[in-house]
């Protein structure tokens, strides 16, 4: 499988954030996106995920001759953790596990992977910032999707948790997985491609 973006451009309101962005990634590859605050990294991830329309251009997944929306083959980990605060950790993960029929790990197995076994009966809302992020990462392991779209995935993680997550990302790549991550911090695994979003600012006459 590959993910291809052709001549992508994004607008927020009347402002063009970036334009003429092209990339392709293949199985087992990590693409990182960097750039200063507000340049459009989260916007780009949301366009790739299909949550926002591109201003111009297109992005799609491709397998052989078939092209299809990225949403069908991806997990999206946004800046928010996508968990209900009043439900327990286990109830939240069970919800997500039922949401997608293709099973990879059970909620308890996924929690074990992020070294959080034992807190499954706590309401999500009482967890520390780093624990919340680890539960959100556990969600990625409930079902296999070829592409992980990650927005600042290590935000709030300490050194040990970041190392656990690096191992989880490597295992995903070993299952032929792909990763596109917006990040200010090194992810601790080798990247294959890198987009510096500053290089795609609009030309003055186009803005
Ligand atoms: N819903 C929205 N409506 C209008 N403008 C928005 C909206 N969401 C974001 N923006 C603007 O779009 C621009 C890009 O935001 P985005 O969140 O994509 O940046 P970013 O590169 O991810 O920033 P950061 O590094 O701070 O997370 C910013 O100027 C932001 O204020």
């Amino acid at each position: 499988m590959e993910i291809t973006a052709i001549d992508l451009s994004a607008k927020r309101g009347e402002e063009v954030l970036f334009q003429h962005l092209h990339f392709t990634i293949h199985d087992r590859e990590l693409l990182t996106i960097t750039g200063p605050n507000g340049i459009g990294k989260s916007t780009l991830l949301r366009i790739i995920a299909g949550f926002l329309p591109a201003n111009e251009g297109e992005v799609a997944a491709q397998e052989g001759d078939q092209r299809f929306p990225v949403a069908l083959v991806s997990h999206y980990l946004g800046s928010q953790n996508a968990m209900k605060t009043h439900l327990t950790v286990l109830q939240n993960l069970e919800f997500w596990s039922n949401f997608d029929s293709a099973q990879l790990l059970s909620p308890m197995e996924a929690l074990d992977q992020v070294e959080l076994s034992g807190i499954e009966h706590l309401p999500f809302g009482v967890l520390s910032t780093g624990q919340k992020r680890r539960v959100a990462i556990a969600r990625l392991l409930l079902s296999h999707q070829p592409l992980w779209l990650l927005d600042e995935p290590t935000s709030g993680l300490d050194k040990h948790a970041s190392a656990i997550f690096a191992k989880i990302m490597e295992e995903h790549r070993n299952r032929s997985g792909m990763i596109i991550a917006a990040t200010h911090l090194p992810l601790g695994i080798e990247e294959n491609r890198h987009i510096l979003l500053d290089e795609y600012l609009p030309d003055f006459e186009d803005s």
Side-chain angles (χ1 to χ4, degrees):
M1 184 175 295
E2 62 184 38
I3 311 292
T4 307
I6 302 166
D7 205 18
L8 270 192
S9 136
K11 239 182 176 180
R12 283 294 202 178
E14 286 310 300
E15 188 192 358
V16 178
L17 296 176
F18 57 81
Q19 64 179 12
H20 304 316
L21 177 64
H22 297 257
F23 67 80
T24 300
I25 66 161
H26 304 95
D27 293 351
R28 298 170 197 270
E29 290 188 337
L30 165 66
L31 164 69
T32 54
I33 303 161
T34 59
N37 290 144
I39 198 146
K41 301 179 295 297
S42 300
T43 302
L44 171 56
L45 281 180
R46 294 177 70 79
I47 289 172
I48 298 169
F51 299 144
L52 284 174
N55 178 43
E56 288 173 346
E58 61 174 90
V59 57
Q62 186 152 351
E63 179 98 77
D65 291 342
Q66 283 197 312
R67 279 170 73 77
F68 35 89
V70 172
L72 296 180
V73 294
S74 59
H75 278 314
Y76 172 79
L77 175 66
S79 53
Q80 304 293 315
N81 291 315
M83 300 283 162
K84 299 267 188 223
T85 52
H86 62 284
L87 295 182
T88 67
V89 169
L90 188 58
Q91 285 168 333
N92 271 292
L93 290 178
E94 280 172 344
F95 168 82
W96 285 114
S97 184
N98 293 330
F99 189 78
D100 193 341
S101 53
Q103 300 298 304
L104 185 61
L105 297 184
S106 70
M108 290 306 293
E109 288 168 337
L111 272 181
D112 187 48
Q113 292 286 305
V114 295
E115 297 188 5
L116 282 186
S117 303
I119 66 150
E120 62 271 16
H121 296 300
L122 288 179
F124 183 79
V126 308
L127 302 187
S128 73
T129 304
Q131 287 171 333
K132 284 178 180 164
R133 203 60 176 158
R134 281 155 80 163
V135 174
I137 288 168
R139 177 171 67 84
L140 301 171
L141 302 173
L142 299 173
S143 63
H144 178 70
Q145 287 289 14
L147 174 65
W148 287 0
L149 294 168
L150 310 175
D151 197 348
E152 300 291 348
T154 56
S155 160
L157 297 186
D158 63 21
K159 209 172 162 186
H160 178 64
S162 296
I164 294 171
F165 183 51
K167 184 167 162 272
I168 286 173
M169 286 190 289
E170 282 294 17
E171 286 166 359
H172 174 63
R173 293 208 298 190
N174 290 338
R175 289 189 293 267
S176 298
M178 296 171 279
I179 300 171
I180 300 178
T183 185
H184 287 287
L185 301 166
L187 293 177
I189 62 171
E190 199 179 327
E191 66 193 18
N192 306 93
R193 282 148 215 270
H194 178 221
I195 291 172
L196 188 60
L197 213 44
D198 323 36
E199 292 175 356
Y200 298 90
L201 292 172
D203 301 332
F204 181 69
E205 60 270 25
D206 292 342
S207 57

